[in-house]
PDB file of all heavy atoms in Angstrom:
ATOM      1  N   VAL A  66     146.045  32.302  22.724  1.00 91.00           N
ATOM      2  CA  VAL A  66     145.945  32.046  24.162  1.00 91.00           C
ATOM      3  C   VAL A  66     146.776  33.067  24.937  1.00 91.00           C
ATOM      4  O   VAL A  66     146.322  33.636  25.942  1.00 91.00           O
ATOM      5  CB  VAL A  66     146.413  30.613  24.482  1.00 91.00           C
ATOM      6  CG1 VAL A  66     146.361  30.362  25.990  1.00 91.00           C
ATOM      7  CG2 VAL A  66     145.556  29.597  23.749  1.00 91.00           C
ATOM      8  N   ARG A  67     147.989  33.331  24.451  1.00 89.00           N
ATOM      9  CA  ARG A  67     148.832  34.339  25.096  1.00 89.00           C
ATOM     10  C   ARG A  67     148.190  35.713  25.005  1.00 89.00           C
ATOM     11  O   ARG A  67     148.177  36.462  25.998  1.00 89.00           O
ATOM     12  CB  ARG A  67     150.221  34.362  24.447  1.00 89.00           C
ATOM     13  CG  ARG A  67     151.084  35.511  24.934  1.00 89.00           C
ATOM     14  CD  ARG A  67     152.485  35.474  24.370  1.00 89.00           C
ATOM     15  NE  ARG A  67     153.209  36.690  24.714  1.00 89.00           N
ATOM     16  CZ  ARG A  67     154.508  36.874  24.514  1.00 89.00           C
ATOM     17  NH1 ARG A  67     155.230  35.912  23.967  1.00 89.00           N
ATOM     18  NH2 ARG A  67     155.093  38.004  24.839  1.00 89.00           N
ATOM     19  N   GLN A  68     147.655  36.057  23.854  1.00 89.00           N
ATOM     20  CA  GLN A  68     147.007  37.351  23.701  1.00 89.00           C
ATOM     21  C   GLN A  68     145.798  37.481  24.622  1.00 89.00           C
ATOM     22  O   GLN A  68     145.548  38.540  25.193  1.00 89.00           O
ATOM     23  CB  GLN A  68     146.596  37.565  22.243  1.00 89.00           C
ATOM     24  CG  GLN A  68     147.767  37.756  21.294  1.00 89.00           C
ATOM     25  CD  GLN A  68     147.311  38.026  19.869  1.00 89.00           C
ATOM     26  OE1 GLN A  68     146.148  37.829  19.532  1.00 89.00           O
ATOM     27  NE2 GLN A  68     148.227  38.475  19.026  1.00 89.00           N
ATOM     28  N   GLY A  69     145.045  36.385  24.759  1.00 91.00           N
ATOM     29  CA  GLY A  69     143.888  36.404  25.649  1.00 91.00           C
ATOM     30  C   GLY A  69     144.286  36.617  27.095  1.00 91.00           C
ATOM     31  O   GLY A  69     143.649  37.387  27.827  1.00 91.00           O
ATOM     32  N   LEU A  70     145.366  35.942  27.531  1.00 89.00           N
ATOM     33  CA  LEU A  70     145.837  36.122  28.904  1.00 89.00           C
ATOM     34  C   LEU A  70     146.326  37.540  29.129  1.00 89.00           C
ATOM     35  O   LEU A  70     146.010  38.160  30.153  1.00 89.00           O
ATOM     36  CB  LEU A  70     146.955  35.126  29.209  1.00 89.00           C
ATOM     37  CG  LEU A  70     147.606  35.270  30.591  1.00 89.00           C
ATOM     38  CD1 LEU A  70     146.580  35.063  31.698  1.00 89.00           C
ATOM     39  CD2 LEU A  70     148.771  34.304  30.746  1.00 89.00           C
ATOM     40  N   PHE A  71     147.094  38.082  28.176  1.00 86.00           N
ATOM     41  CA  PHE A  71     147.611  39.446  28.319  1.00 86.00           C
ATOM     42  C   PHE A  71     146.469  40.463  28.353  1.00 86.00           C
ATOM     43  O   PHE A  71     146.537  41.456  29.075  1.00 86.00           O
ATOM     44  CB  PHE A  71     148.571  39.761  27.180  1.00 86.00           C
ATOM     45  CG  PHE A  71     149.943  39.173  27.376  1.00 86.00           C
ATOM     46  CD1 PHE A  71     150.157  38.209  28.344  1.00 86.00           C
ATOM     47  CD2 PHE A  71     151.014  39.570  26.595  1.00 86.00           C
ATOM     48  CE1 PHE A  71     151.409  37.649  28.536  1.00 86.00           C
ATOM     49  CE2 PHE A  71     152.268  39.018  26.785  1.00 86.00           C
ATOM     50  CZ  PHE A  71     152.468  38.050  27.754  1.00 86.00           C
ATOM     51  N   ALA A  72     145.419  40.224  27.549  1.00 88.00           N
ATOM     52  CA  ALA A  72     144.258  41.113  27.570  1.00 88.00           C
ATOM     53  C   ALA A  72     143.593  41.083  28.940  1.00 88.00           C
ATOM     54  O   ALA A  72     143.198  42.131  29.488  1.00 88.00           O
ATOM     55  CB  ALA A  72     143.265  40.718  26.483  1.00 88.00           C
ATOM     56  N   TYR A  73     143.483  39.887  29.527  1.00 89.00           N
ATOM     57  CA  TYR A  73     142.885  39.764  30.858  1.00 89.00           C
ATOM     58  C   TYR A  73     143.737  40.471  31.910  1.00 89.00           C
ATOM     59  O   TYR A  73     143.206  41.160  32.794  1.00 89.00           O
ATOM     60  CB  TYR A  73     142.723  38.289  31.214  1.00 89.00           C
ATOM     61  CG  TYR A  73     142.226  38.069  32.630  1.00 89.00           C
ATOM     62  CD1 TYR A  73     140.889  38.267  32.946  1.00 89.00           C
ATOM     63  CD2 TYR A  73     143.103  37.678  33.635  1.00 89.00           C
ATOM     64  CE1 TYR A  73     140.433  38.068  34.242  1.00 89.00           C
ATOM     65  CE2 TYR A  73     142.657  37.489  34.940  1.00 89.00           C
ATOM     66  CZ  TYR A  73     141.320  37.689  35.238  1.00 89.00           C
ATOM     67  OH  TYR A  73     140.876  37.500  36.519  1.00 89.00           O
ATOM     68  N   LEU A  74     145.056  40.307  31.815  1.00 86.00           N
ATOM     69  CA  LEU A  74     145.951  40.948  32.776  1.00 86.00           C
ATOM     70  C   LEU A  74     145.793  42.467  32.745  1.00 86.00           C
ATOM     71  O   LEU A  74     145.772  43.125  33.797  1.00 86.00           O
ATOM     72  CB  LEU A  74     147.406  40.567  32.493  1.00 86.00           C
ATOM     73  CG  LEU A  74     147.781  39.093  32.624  1.00 86.00           C
ATOM     74  CD1 LEU A  74     149.259  38.893  32.321  1.00 86.00           C
ATOM     75  CD2 LEU A  74     147.451  38.563  34.000  1.00 86.00           C
ATOM     76  N   ASN A  75     145.699  43.016  31.552  1.00 83.00           N
ATOM     77  CA  ASN A  75     145.566  44.465  31.420  1.00 83.00           C
ATOM     78  C   ASN A  75     144.208  44.954  31.897  1.00 83.00           C
ATOM     79  O   ASN A  75     144.108  45.999  32.542  1.00 83.00           O
ATOM     80  CB  ASN A  75     145.814  44.899  29.975  1.00 83.00           C
ATOM     81  CG  ASN A  75     147.284  44.943  29.619  1.00 83.00           C
ATOM     82  OD1 ASN A  75     147.950  45.942  29.830  1.00 83.00           O
ATOM     83  ND2 ASN A  75     147.806  43.852  29.088  1.00 83.00           N
ATOM     84  N   MET A  76     143.151  44.221  31.559  1.00 85.00           N
ATOM     85  CA  MET A  76     141.815  44.626  32.004  1.00 85.00           C
ATOM     86  C   MET A  76     141.686  44.551  33.517  1.00 85.00           C
ATOM     87  O   MET A  76     141.015  45.377  34.138  1.00 85.00           O
ATOM     88  CB  MET A  76     140.754  43.752  31.334  1.00 85.00           C
ATOM     89  CG  MET A  76     140.559  44.032  29.855  1.00 85.00           C
ATOM     90  SD  MET A  76     139.136  43.157  29.154  1.00 85.00           S
ATOM     91  CE  MET A  76     139.688  41.446  29.330  1.00 85.00           C
ATOM     92  N   ALA A  77     142.353  43.555  34.123  1.00 83.00           N
ATOM     93  CA  ALA A  77     142.295  43.395  35.576  1.00 83.00           C
ATOM     94  C   ALA A  77     143.290  44.294  36.298  1.00 83.00           C
ATOM     95  O   ALA A  77     143.230  44.420  37.526  1.00 83.00           O
ATOM     96  CB  ALA A  77     142.544  41.935  35.947  1.00 83.00           C
TER      97      ALA A  77
END
Side-chain angles (χ1 to χ4, degrees):
V66 178
R67 172 176 172 171
Q68 291 182 346
L70 176 61
F71 281 14
Y73 175 77
L74 297 180
N75 282 273
M76 288 188 295

